[in-house]
mmCIF file of all heavy atoms in Angstrom:
data_model
loop_
_atom_site.group_PDB
_atom_site.id
_atom_site.type_symbol
_atom_site.label_atom_id
_atom_site.label_comp_id
_atom_site.label_asym_id
_atom_site.label_seq_id
_atom_site.Cartn_x
_atom_site.Cartn_y
_atom_site.Cartn_z
ATOM 1 N N ILE A 194 -61.123 19.851 -88.723
ATOM 2 C CA ILE A 194 -62.324 19.176 -88.282
ATOM 3 C C ILE A 194 -62.249 18.820 -86.765
ATOM 4 O O ILE A 194 -63.261 19.042 -86.042
ATOM 5 C CB ILE A 194 -62.511 17.855 -89.112
ATOM 6 C CG1 ILE A 194 -62.831 18.253 -90.567
ATOM 7 C CG2 ILE A 194 -63.594 16.982 -88.530
ATOM 8 C CD1 ILE A 194 -62.920 17.061 -91.484
ATOM 9 N N PRO A 195 -61.159 18.263 -86.241
ATOM 10 C CA PRO A 195 -61.173 17.961 -84.788
ATOM 11 C C PRO A 195 -61.366 19.162 -83.901
ATOM 12 O O PRO A 195 -62.004 19.066 -82.882
ATOM 13 C CB PRO A 195 -59.751 17.355 -84.584
ATOM 14 C CG PRO A 195 -59.350 16.845 -85.897
ATOM 15 C CD PRO A 195 -59.919 17.824 -86.894
ATOM 16 N N PHE A 196 -60.819 20.306 -84.323
ATOM 17 C CA PHE A 196 -61.041 21.538 -83.530
ATOM 18 C C PHE A 196 -62.489 21.999 -83.619
ATOM 19 O O PHE A 196 -63.063 22.427 -82.596
ATOM 20 C CB PHE A 196 -60.121 22.645 -84.053
ATOM 21 C CG PHE A 196 -58.662 22.415 -83.701
ATOM 22 C CD1 PHE A 196 -57.836 21.785 -84.647
ATOM 23 C CD2 PHE A 196 -58.125 22.815 -82.512
ATOM 24 C CE1 PHE A 196 -56.494 21.573 -84.366
ATOM 25 C CE2 PHE A 196 -56.803 22.584 -82.198
ATOM 26 C CZ PHE A 196 -55.952 21.941 -83.109
ATOM 27 N N LEU A 197 -63.101 21.922 -84.777
ATOM 28 C CA LEU A 197 -64.475 22.296 -84.881
ATOM 29 C C LEU A 197 -65.441 21.394 -84.166
ATOM 30 O O LEU A 197 -66.502 21.806 -83.659
ATOM 31 C CB LEU A 197 -64.882 22.369 -86.392
ATOM 32 C CG LEU A 197 -64.075 23.430 -87.250
ATOM 33 C CD1 LEU A 197 -64.487 23.324 -88.688
ATOM 34 C CD2 LEU A 197 -64.304 24.839 -86.697
ATOM 35 N N LEU A 198 -65.063 20.141 -84.064
ATOM 36 C CA LEU A 198 -65.897 19.175 -83.302
ATOM 37 C C LEU A 198 -66.000 19.525 -81.835
ATOM 38 O O LEU A 198 -66.943 19.105 -81.145
ATOM 39 C CB LEU A 198 -65.281 17.739 -83.457
ATOM 40 C CG LEU A 198 -65.552 17.074 -84.773
ATOM 41 C CD1 LEU A 198 -64.868 15.707 -84.813
ATOM 42 C CD2 LEU A 198 -67.041 16.885 -85.058
ATOM 43 N N SER A 199 -65.055 20.306 -81.305
ATOM 44 C CA SER A 199 -65.123 20.700 -79.939
ATOM 45 C C SER A 199 -66.330 21.528 -79.649
ATOM 46 O O SER A 199 -66.826 21.574 -78.498
ATOM 47 C CB SER A 199 -63.869 21.491 -79.514
ATOM 48 O OG SER A 199 -63.811 22.736 -80.181
ATOM 49 N N GLY A 200 -66.868 22.173 -80.681
ATOM 50 C CA GLY A 200 -68.123 22.940 -80.545
ATOM 51 C C GLY A 200 -69.266 22.053 -80.095
ATOM 52 O O GLY A 200 -70.137 22.480 -79.292
ATOM 53 N N VAL A 201 -69.311 20.805 -80.604
ATOM 54 C CA VAL A 201 -70.349 19.877 -80.186
ATOM 55 C C VAL A 201 -70.198 19.515 -78.723
ATOM 56 O O VAL A 201 -71.181 19.482 -77.955
ATOM 57 C CB VAL A 201 -70.291 18.581 -81.053
ATOM 58 C CG1 VAL A 201 -71.302 17.607 -80.596
ATOM 59 C CG2 VAL A 201 -70.471 18.943 -82.538
ATOM 60 N N LEU A 202 -68.936 19.319 -78.290
ATOM 61 C CA LEU A 202 -68.694 18.957 -76.912
ATOM 62 C C LEU A 202 -69.126 20.119 -75.972
ATOM 63 O O LEU A 202 -69.657 19.897 -74.890
ATOM 64 C CB LEU A 202 -67.218 18.627 -76.688
ATOM 65 C CG LEU A 202 -66.683 17.352 -77.312
ATOM 66 C CD1 LEU A 202 -65.170 17.248 -77.133
ATOM 67 C CD2 LEU A 202 -67.396 16.121 -76.765
ATOM 68 N N VAL A 203 -68.886 21.343 -76.458
ATOM 69 C CA VAL A 203 -69.241 22.513 -75.627
ATOM 70 C C VAL A 203 -70.750 22.620 -75.429
ATOM 71 O O VAL A 203 -71.254 22.896 -74.340
ATOM 72 C CB VAL A 203 -68.695 23.823 -76.273
ATOM 73 C CG1 VAL A 203 -69.260 25.029 -75.558
ATOM 74 C CG2 VAL A 203 -67.170 23.828 -76.171
ATOM 75 N N ILE A 204 -71.471 22.358 -76.509
ATOM 76 C CA ILE A 204 -72.952 22.406 -76.432
ATOM 77 C C ILE A 204 -73.446 21.363 -75.442
ATOM 78 O O ILE A 204 -74.333 21.675 -74.591
ATOM 79 C CB ILE A 204 -73.571 22.226 -77.845
ATOM 80 C CG1 ILE A 204 -73.214 23.419 -78.736
ATOM 81 C CG2 ILE A 204 -75.096 22.035 -77.753
ATOM 82 C CD1 ILE A 204 -73.626 23.220 -80.156
ATOM 83 N N VAL A 205 -72.963 20.157 -75.579
ATOM 84 C CA VAL A 205 -73.360 19.095 -74.668
ATOM 85 C C VAL A 205 -72.989 19.469 -73.204
ATOM 86 O O VAL A 205 -73.797 19.262 -72.262
ATOM 87 C CB VAL A 205 -72.750 17.725 -75.071
ATOM 88 C CG1 VAL A 205 -73.064 16.649 -74.028
ATOM 89 C CG2 VAL A 205 -73.260 17.300 -76.451
ATOM 90 N N GLY A 206 -71.741 19.948 -73.054
ATOM 91 C CA GLY A 206 -71.277 20.310 -71.730
ATOM 92 C C GLY A 206 -72.104 21.431 -71.080
ATOM 93 O O GLY A 206 -72.419 21.377 -69.903
ATOM 94 N N LEU A 207 -72.459 22.435 -71.861
ATOM 95 C CA LEU A 207 -73.248 23.542 -71.338
ATOM 96 C C LEU A 207 -74.625 23.051 -70.931
ATOM 97 O O LEU A 207 -75.168 23.438 -69.862
ATOM 98 C CB LEU A 207 -73.418 24.626 -72.381
ATOM 99 C CG LEU A 207 -72.256 25.630 -72.552
ATOM 100 C CD1 LEU A 207 -72.502 26.579 -73.681
ATOM 101 C CD2 LEU A 207 -72.026 26.383 -71.246
ATOM 102 N N TRP A 208 -75.229 22.204 -71.740
ATOM 103 C CA TRP A 208 -76.539 21.636 -71.421
ATOM 104 C C TRP A 208 -76.504 20.929 -70.081
ATOM 105 O O TRP A 208 -77.409 21.053 -69.240
ATOM 106 C CB TRP A 208 -77.007 20.690 -72.513
ATOM 107 C CG TRP A 208 -78.274 20.036 -72.235
ATOM 108 C CD1 TRP A 208 -79.563 20.572 -72.123
ATOM 109 C CD2 TRP A 208 -78.473 18.613 -71.918
ATOM 110 N NE1 TRP A 208 -80.492 19.645 -71.823
ATOM 111 C CE2 TRP A 208 -79.865 18.407 -71.676
ATOM 112 C CE3 TRP A 208 -77.594 17.537 -71.866
ATOM 113 C CZ2 TRP A 208 -80.415 17.177 -71.392
ATOM 114 C CZ3 TRP A 208 -78.117 16.288 -71.571
ATOM 115 C CH2 TRP A 208 -79.492 16.092 -71.339
#
Side-chain angles (χ1 to χ4, degrees):
I194 294 176
F196 290 94
L197 297 177
L198 285 176
S199 67
V201 177
L202 293 175
V203 170
I204 293 173
V205 174
L207 279 176
W208 175 69

